[in-house]
Amino acid sequence: MDGLPENVKLTPTSYIVLGLLARAGEATPYQLKTVVASSIAGFWTVQHAQLYAEPQRLARAGLVSERQEEGGRRRRTYALTDAGREALERWLAEPTEAIGEIRQPGLLQLFLGAEPGPLAQAQRAAHAERLAQYEALHETTGAHMEDGMRLALEAGMALEREWVRYWAVLEEAG
Amino acid sequence: MDGLPENVKLTPTSYIVLGLLARAGEATPYQLKTVVASSIAGFWTVQHAQLYAEPQRLARAGLVSERQEEGGRRRRTYALTDAGREALERWLAEPTEAIGEIRQPGLLQLFLGAEPGPLAQAQRAAHAERLAQYEALHETTGAHMEDGMRLALEAGMALEREWVRYWAVLEEAG
DNA sequence: GGGTACATGTAATCAGTTACATGATTTA
DNA sequence: TAAATCATGTAACTGATTACATGTACCC
């Protein structure tokens, strides 16, 4: 089961696909898309077109298997291979020290000289709304979530609270 | 001064270039690179190759002017045109409601099922270090910074503190 | 039975990354 | 003067985004 072209570079998108396939057992790109939309979106976006392209790349690398419907839509269904599961687990077992960027458009505007007042108002509102969504989700389904997902959601809530605080201060000052 | 090909899409990178040129008056890509490294980096990365490519795009669109050295290195120096300054100011005057993604590699690992304990340890350490850098910078030069930059730095500090708190809890639990 | 929303995918483009390459300065 | 290091840039690649396109099911 070795000897495959094991030389692709795996990006975060790759691991998202691998990780979601590990949970789902198997899935079509469209199913991946719905899972992404209902879980990871908001803290890590993946374009739906990527969910068609990336599994193909991974299939070429032997990390997932591809099965195509005979009739009709000729849907493709993907599942992890042993090599894929290994790659995922190797990555998961090696805690990253990398920390991402903040990359908030609002903060960029502030940095580049926008008026703090109106910007703070818009941003506080937007973050408050996002926070409310997270809180609602946490309250309704938090109990049945897998650990990783719930923890990530809680991180999102903590950060959004911080942003609301931050912009509120600027709003009152302006 | 109109009639220029005013149909490029401006990305965050574009506004970074426009904004930094507005501050600097004029600059070569290399100078832009150093400014980026000493200010915005950490909350919004720009690859140095982009600082060569992007000004050219903007020049084609008439938003910056390009002047090239005759002798030696044939360095290119860029400056805002009136159209460029206008584009920048139009953007700055329109507070964005967009909020970015979190996009933390560590959070992605957590979400996809990594062991919280060791991950939390690595991440808490990394964020603590970043926080210390920000705090040092704030203490030494915070007073002389432009407002936007100081405010952005303070946002970075607030967020890093939150991350340290978040991972510390997970670390103790694990 | 026509519209509208969901489902499913491909193609073209482009921003961004990585890699390469060489010129100028400093320093040991 | 050799070796680093800083300065300066280009080329190639590719992941990601945008746009397009069509099929299917439901509902009014």
Side-chain angles (χ1 to χ4, degrees), chain A residues 65-85:
Chain A
S65 66
E66 179 180 316
R67 186 164 47 76
Q68 187 162 22
E69 256 185 7
E70 282 304 314
R73 304 267 187 110
R74 313 226 48 183
R75 286 191 197 83
R76 292 164 209 268
T77 301
Y78 297 92
L80 285 189
T81 61
D82 289 347
R85 186 172 307 272

Side-chain angles (χ1 to χ4, degrees), chain A:
Chain A
M1 183 106 26
D2 253 9
L4 298 159
E6 182 68 74
N7 39 19
V8 272
K9 215 160 261 183
L10 297 182
T11 68
T13 303
S14 314
Y15 290 114
I16 289 173
V17 170
L18 293 175
L20 295 183
L21 284 179
R23 283 192 195 162
E26 57 169 42
T28 66
Y30 190 80
Q31 290 171 327
L32 288 177
K33 178 190 145 181
T34 65
V35 171
V36 163
S38 73
S39 62
I40 198 176
F43 97 87
W44 203 300
T45 293
V46 185
Q47 235 61 36
H48 92 277
Q50 293 259 135
L51 296 175
Y52 290 86
E54 188 64 26
Q56 280 180 35
R57 271 195 37 190
L58 296 175
R60 257 180 273 127
L63 301 179
V64 307
S65 66
E66 179 180 316
R67 186 164 47 76
Q68 187 162 22
E69 256 185 7
E70 282 304 314
R73 304 267 187 110
R74 313 226 48 183
R75 286 191 197 83
R76 292 164 209 268
T77 301
Y78 297 92
L80 285 189
T81 61
D82 289 347
R85 186 172 307 272
E86 243 177 66
L88 174 63
E89 263 153 28
R90 218 167 23 240
W91 178 71
L92 285 178
E94 197 177 293
T96 178
E97 293 172 26
I99 71 187
E101 298 167 18
I102 300 188
R103 243 167 213 270
Q104 288 281 334
L107 195 58
L108 187 59
Q109 284 189 323
L110 187 64
F111 174 81
L112 292 177
E115 278 296 318
L119 179 59
Q121 189 184 341
Q123 287 283 307
R124 191 201 39 69
H127 282 288
E129 191 180 343
R130 176 69 66 95
L131 174 58
Q133 287 166 7
Y134 285 168
E135 281 173 337
L137 184 61
H138 191 261
E139 189 147 341
T140 58
T141 45
H144 328 114
M145 282 179 186
E146 289 181 55
D147 289 350
M149 184 160 161
R150 184 171 29 73
L151 289 172
L153 179 57
E154 285 164 3
M157 288 165 53
L159 284 201
E160 291 303 336
R161 274 194 206 105
E162 195 57 37
W163 278 118
V164 170
R165 247 179 261 138
Y166 176 81
W167 290 113
V169 169
L170 274 188
E171 193 179 358
E172 280 152 31

Side-chain angles (χ1 to χ4, degrees), chain B residues 39-121:
Chain B
S39 61
I40 198 176
F43 97 84
W44 204 301
T45 293
V46 185
Q47 234 63 36
H48 92 277
Q50 293 259 135
L51 296 175
Y52 289 86
E54 188 64 27
Q56 280 181 35
R57 272 196 36 190
L58 296 175
R60 257 180 272 127
L63 300 179
V64 307
S65 66
E66 178 181 315
R67 185 164 49 76
Q68 188 163 22
E69 256 185 6
E70 281 306 312
R73 304 269 187 110
R74 312 224 50 177
R75 286 191 197 85
R76 293 163 208 267
T77 302
Y78 297 92
L80 284 188
T81 62
D82 290 348
R85 186 173 306 273
E86 243 177 66
L88 174 62
E89 263 152 28
R90 220 170 19 245
W91 178 71
L92 285 177
E94 198 177 292
T96 179
E97 295 174 24
I99 70 186
E101 298 167 17
I102 301 186
R103 243 167 213 270
Q104 288 282 334
L107 196 59
L108 188 60
Q109 284 189 324
L110 187 64
F111 174 81
L112 291 177
E115 278 296 318
L119 179 59
Q121 188 185 342

